[in-house]
Structure formats: structure tokens, C-alpha cells
Amino acid sequence: MQHGPAVRRRKLGAELRALRARTGLTSGEAALLVGWHQSKVSRIETGASGVKPSDVRLLLDAYGVRDPELRELLLMLAGSDEGSGRHHWWHAYRGVLPPAYRDFISLESQASAMRTLETSVVPGLLQTPEYARAVTRSTVGGLDGEPEERLEALVQVRLARQEVLRALPPLELSAVLDEAVLHREVGGPEVMERQVVRLLEAARLPQVRIQVLPFSAGAHVGITGPFVIFSFPRTSDLDVVVLDHMTSSLYLERKEDLEAYSHAFSTLQEHALSPEDSLDYIAGTVDGA
């Protein structure tokens, strides 16, 4: 388990190593092409040291990588501010966002798909402003005693993240919600009613799949807590699992971890209500059913 920056360095290095191998170059030959010492290429490829976006561009040019999506993705992993308007907006909130949260948002902004299990609250990408405000106040505010201005800024960040569902192409979101999510009264009855309506609207979007995991499913593989799996375009080698904790996030990148969590998510989907039945169940909570 690693924190976000270490995961990104390792994944970036592995992808650069694979790209070099496809060209038939040794690390020493690649170093000569860009005017470096061979040890620098090795450190980058093993994730032992960070790498500047300008260095990534040099390597991608040397390896003949012209694909704009792949270049942008790898530059993002290096911390580049380049990219479409969809990316890097969160830098305006650097003063209020902890590094782990910035890492999460950067991964979310570049991912092509997101699978998430939520056991307590509605996923951030589907929250209404009122619901997001109530969640933020009860978690961050209760933890730090943060001033109102910072709490409101964190709410605005959560709402701004939702643009990934409206981007072109949009993020594909698959969410399994424990039934408790729909019954936990966050912010009061009126806030919950509007939040349920928002879930119904989102569930009808072609890029969003919501399933409810009923109490009748009993103990299940996700009972130990929520998790997120990010998948990226062009290569599965960059996929990552995120486990969120109160004061930090952990990132799992090993192939066996990804396989285990992917299998767990598929199992949860099998035990959950179908998307159609989930839609009916969610609608029933509005009617007091």
C-alpha cells in the first residue's frame, strides 16, 4: 500500500519502461537519445525518483509516442498542468485541499471509469449541494473545527468534481450502494428527499449505473468498508484501488490487489438489485415506501 504520489511515480515509470521496450531500446540507449546518464532513466522507470513533465515529454518524443490521450495521461501522472479544461481546476483550491485529496481528484479527472462501493453516504459525484454540505460539516468540520469559509470551499470542490460526468467523453460510473446509504438521514428529511431525486436523475444517465445492495444480502465481501477502483484509457496498467480513511487515503496498485477488488465488486453487483429494480427501490424511498 502506498500514498498517491508514490503510486503515480511507480505507474508512470512502469509505463515508460514498457514504451521503451516496445522501441527495442535499452535504458542506456534511451539515455543517450535524451542526453542523460543511464541511472536517471533507471530511477524514473523504477519510481525511485520523481520526474518532471518536461523530462516525460523528452522520453515520449524519443520513443515516438504521438497518441495525444496517452501523452496527456502520462504527463498528468508526472504532475503536469497541461491538458484540457476538465483537468487541474483543483489547483485553485490548493490552500484548502490536503495532498491525498488532490491526488484522488487528479486520478478521478483522468480516469475513464470508476467503480465504487459506498456503505455510509451517497458517492460524492452524485451528491446535491445540501447533502454535500451536511456530509462535509459532519466529517471535516467535526474533525478539525474548520472555519465556515474552508467548509464551503470543500463543498464547492465536491460539486466541481461532478463535471467528470458531463465531460466528453464522460466518466463511466458504476456504484453499489449499501441500503443503509438510502436510510441514513443526512441533513434532514428535505435534504434526503432532494438527494434521492438526484440519484434517480443520475441513474437514468447512460454513463451511470447504480445498484442497491439490500440488507437481505446479509454479510458480504464489502462489509469491511468502501472502496474505489479507477480505470484509465489506453492501458490497464495504470488502474488503482483507493481506500479512504478519516485522515488519509491508501492506494493499492499490485495486480493481485486489483484482481481481488475487481472480483469483489463483481460479486457485489451480483448480490445487489438490478439497476432497474434499484431504480424502483430508490423511487420508493421518496414515497416513504
Side-chain angles (χ1 to χ4, degrees):
M1 293 185 290
Q2 299 284 342
H3 292 287
V7 169
R8 291 195 297 175
R9 284 200 306 270
R10 287 163 60 93
K11 288 186 174 294
L12 174 59
E15 186 64 19
L16 290 172
R17 182 170 62 250
L19 290 171
R20 173 180 59 76
R22 287 173 202 158
T23 67
L25 294 170
T26 65
S27 59
E29 290 168 340
L32 285 175
L33 280 177
V34 295
W36 299 345
H37 192 280
Q38 186 269 341
S39 62
K40 180 174 180 177
V41 174
S42 296
R43 288 196 305 272
I44 290 172
E45 292 185 351
T46 59
S49 64
V51 55
K52 296 184 294 186
S54 58
D55 287 343
V56 173
R57 280 192 291 271
L58 279 176
L59 290 174
L60 294 178
D61 290 343
Y63 303 156
V65 177
R66 301 289 179 260
D67 186 321
E69 290 184 8
L70 181 57
R71 288 179 68 96
E72 185 176 13
L73 177 58
L74 297 180
L75 285 168
M76 180 276 295
L77 290 174
S80 172
D81 287 340
E82 297 178 3
S84 66
R86 170 184 171 187
H87 309 136
H88 313 296
W89 55 265
W90 58 91
H91 287 185
Y93 295 91
R94 290 181 68 90
V96 298
L97 296 179
Y101 195 14
R102 293 201 301 268
D103 266 342
F104 183 91
I105 296 172
S106 70
L107 291 172
E108 184 179 71
S109 72
Q110 289 283 355
S112 58
M114 174 180 174
R115 289 167 284 172
T116 180
L117 166 69
E118 287 292 348
T119 58
S120 298
V121 297
V122 171
L125 294 183
L126 303 177
Q127 293 178 5
T128 65
E130 298 86 357
Y131 188 99
R133 192 166 289 109
V135 169
T136 303
R137 187 177 301 280
S138 64
T139 53
V140 178
L143 180 66
D144 301 322
E146 292 290 350
E148 191 68 24
E149 296 79 8
R150 184 172 187 272
L151 291 176
E152 188 59 32
L154 290 172
V155 171
Q156 293 307 313
V157 167
R158 184 162 299 198
L159 299 178
R161 285 172 47 204
Q162 298 176 3
E163 285 299 316
V164 295
L165 296 177
R166 295 181 282 270
L168 293 175
L171 176 76
E172 295 182 5
L173 173 64
S174 295
V176 173
L177 309 183
D178 191 281
E179 186 176 348
V181 171
L182 300 172
H183 295 291
R184 176 167 288 103
E185 194 172 278
V186 175
E190 292 183 1
V191 170
M192 285 302 298
E193 183 173 342
R194 287 192 290 271
Q195 179 59 67
V196 169
V197 171
R198 167 69 178 127
L199 284 176
L200 292 173
E201 294 171 347
R204 295 186 177 97
L205 296 174
Q207 71 271 28
V208 176
R209 177 189 177 99
I210 299 176
Q211 291 180 257
V212 176
L213 188 65
F215 291 140
S216 59
H220 53 77
V221 69
I223 205 166
T224 56
F227 60 85
V228 173
I229 306 172
F230 285 123
S231 298
F232 293 86
R234 318 301 282 179
T235 174
S236 62
D237 292 339
L238 299 175
D239 292 358
V240 63
V241 177
V242 184
L243 306 178
D244 202 22
H245 298 272
M246 184 175 290
T247 58
S248 64
S249 296
L250 293 175
Y251 295 72
L252 308 179
E253 59 172 329
R254 296 184 309 169
K255 181 179 180 181
E256 52 265 43
D257 291 325
L258 288 164
E259 290 177 348
Y261 276 89
S262 294
H263 177 71
F265 192 80
S266 296
T267 301
L268 290 167
Q269 287 183 308
E270 292 173 4
H271 287 86
L273 301 177
S274 69
E276 296 75 20
D277 289 343
S278 295
L279 197 62
D280 291 340
Y281 183 88
I282 294 170
T285 64
V286 177
D287 302 328

